[in-house]
Amino acid sequence: MFSLLIFAVLCASCLAKPALVHYSYSNAVGSGIGSAFSISGKGRITSVRIWEVPNSYITGIQLRYENIWASRAGRYYGTIHELNLFDGEFIAQISGKYYSSNYIYQLIFVTSRGRSLIVGQPIQTSFNFYPIHVDAELRMLSGRTNGAGITALAAHWGAVYMHECNSTTNN
């Protein structure tokens, strides 16, 4: 009887669907000068804020997860731009421009509904970040800042599971 139980457990474990982690990383672009940062939180990203020196470079980035604003990377300087996402909408792509010796000059956040936030100047070298898995979305940003602006940026993509989206605190 015991051997039948072991056989049943083994068969059930073989039939169980393996847990797949749909995670990918878009390599950093930019000069990489300055202090490292990462912007992360619990749940789905619901808003994006970007600061820029008018007609120049990106100075700061901030993400809101559910109802909580994560720590800002960079500084509060220049013009602020904000994109609030609709329920179920997510960041599906980030594009932009950077200059290899100093700053990120342009950021374009594109949502799953085709909406976009375009901030900065379209000059220098282009980049394009996107997930490799169809069910993944932007989960985290990392990079570097030198106190004046964002000098490097990378994107981290993954699936959001509903049990992660349980935050109700405002910040």
Side-chain angles (χ1 to χ4, degrees):
M1 189 54 120
F2 183 69
S3 59
L4 183 60
L5 178 63
I6 291 175
F7 179 74
V9 169
L10 286 174
C11 288
S13 67
C14 291
L15 295 175
K17 184 177 178 181
L20 298 176
V21 178
H22 290 160
Y23 176 81
S24 60
Y25 171 73
S26 298
N27 289 327
V29 298
S31 68
I33 297 169
S35 301
F37 70 82
S38 64
I39 306 171
S40 64
K42 290 187 178 184
R44 189 168 254 167
I45 294 170
T46 57
S47 190
V48 177
R49 284 183 184 156
I50 303 173
W51 288 264
E52 69 156 331
V53 173
N55 299 315
S56 196
Y57 58 89
I58 306 300
T59 62
I61 303 171
Q62 189 175 30
L63 302 175
R64 186 177 70 199
Y65 291 83
E66 299 302 326
N67 296 317
I68 300 173
W69 283 101
S71 298
R72 170 194 36 84
R75 65 183 180 138
Y76 300 111
Y77 181 80
T79 305
I80 185 173
H81 304 270
E82 190 169 322
L83 174 64
N84 293 304
L85 303 178
F86 298 130
D87 287 341
E89 188 176 25
F90 58 87
I91 303 297
Q93 179 180 354
I94 303 171
S95 301
K97 302 278 189 171
Y98 69 97
Y99 190 55
S100 60
S101 67
N102 56 24
Y103 299 107
I104 304 296
Y105 276 83
Q106 184 182 50
L107 287 173
I108 303 168
F109 284 78
V110 180
T111 75
S112 57
R113 293 190 179 183
R115 298 188 314 132
S116 60
L117 172 64
I118 303 171
V119 179
Q121 297 303 304
I123 58 171
Q124 302 302 329
T125 306
S126 298
F127 69 90
N128 190 22
F129 296 158
Y130 52 89
I132 61 172
H133 302 286
V134 71
D135 62 343
E137 60 192 76
L138 183 66
R139 299 286 298 162
M140 180 177 140
L141 290 173
S142 62
R144 293 193 170 267
T145 179
N146 67 2
I150 305 298
T151 61
L153 189 67
H156 305 254
W157 309 91
V160 173
Y161 302 103
M162 294 314 291
H163 69 275
E164 294 178 16
C165 304
N166 60 4
S167 176
T168 57
T169 306
N170 285 328
N171 192 12

